[in-house]
């Protein structure tokens, strides 16, 4: 139930962000070409995970996933582009997430304009055998939605303990 609620919140945020930026239509060609250029030249995105709390990590294994969607389609589901497992024993940490060069071509339905990308994590950090539940580390959507660009520049993702 909680996972469905979080997915609903994420979808709502994506819908709102696409509705609140109508003025960007005049520059749609530039972001699309920038995304294509970054995809062609980048095989990894650098993600810096941090948080304001002191975290206790009993299970260091986490999964980071990259999703993509058409920026102009608010009701279309996002497509899983790639995911990878990591081991981390403390926060903050930085990872390099491999991204396929044809990431935009994997998005279904095919984007008619620029593609939008975001990351998620799945982590049973408290070691109770169940990921993404109370007590686990989770992305802090209240602080910032985890949108990312397909570039080699470091990008911040904020974490908090799920309560």
């Amino acid at each position: 139930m909680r996972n469905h609620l979080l997915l609903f919140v994420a979808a709502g945020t994506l819908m709102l962000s696409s509705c609140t930026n109508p003025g960007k239509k005049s520059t749609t060609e530039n972001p699309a070409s920038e995304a294509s250029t970054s995809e062609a030249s980048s095989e990894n995105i650098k993600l810096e995970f941090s948080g304001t709390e002191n975290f206790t990590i009993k299970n260091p294994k986490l999964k980071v996933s990259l999703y993509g969607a058409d920026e102009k389609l608010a009701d279309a589901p996002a497509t899983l582009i790639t995911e990878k497992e990591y081991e981390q024993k403390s926060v903050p940490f930085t990872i390099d997430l491999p991204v396929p060069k044809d990431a935009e071509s994997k998005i279904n339905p095919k984007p008619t304009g620029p593609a939008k990308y975001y990351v998620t994590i799945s982590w049973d950090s408290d070691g109770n055998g169940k990921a993404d539940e109370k007590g686990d580390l989770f992305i802090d959507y209240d602080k910032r939605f985890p949108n990312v660009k397909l570039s080699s520049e470091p990008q911040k993702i904020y974490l908090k303990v799920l309560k």
Side-chain angles (χ1 to χ4, degrees), residues 59-125:
N59 176 12
K61 294 183 181 181
L62 73 141
K63 185 185 333 178
V64 179
S65 305
L66 174 71
Y67 289 87
D70 187 332
E71 189 174 76
K72 294 181 179 181
L73 294 178
D75 58 348
T79 303
L80 176 65
I81 305 292
T82 188
E83 59 185 13
K84 185 174 178 184
E85 291 190 6
Y86 296 90
E87 287 194 20
Q88 295 298 324
K89 296 180 181 177
S90 64
V91 176
F93 62 91
T94 301
I95 62 166
D96 287 323
L97 180 66
V99 178
K101 290 183 185 241
D102 61 345
E104 189 169 337
S105 69
K106 295 181 180 292
I107 298 172
N108 190 15
K110 300 293 179 209
T112 57
K116 185 177 210 172
Y117 300 94
Y118 66 93
V119 294
T120 64
I121 65 167
S122 180
W123 197 351
D124 174 28
S125 62

Side-chain angles (χ1 to χ4, degrees), residues 3 8 24 40 44 48 53 63 66 71 82 91 93 111 118 122 127 130 132-133 140 142 153 156 158-159:
N3 288 340
F8 179 72
K24 290 191 173 188
N44 289 314
E48 295 178 352
E53 303 174 42
K63 185 185 333 178
L66 174 71
E71 189 174 76
T82 188
V91 176
F93 62 91
Y118 66 93
S122 180
K130 298 177 185 174
D132 308 325
E133 291 192 348
D140 190 347
D142 296 329
E153 298 174 12
K156 287 207 179 272
Y158 298 99
L159 301 175

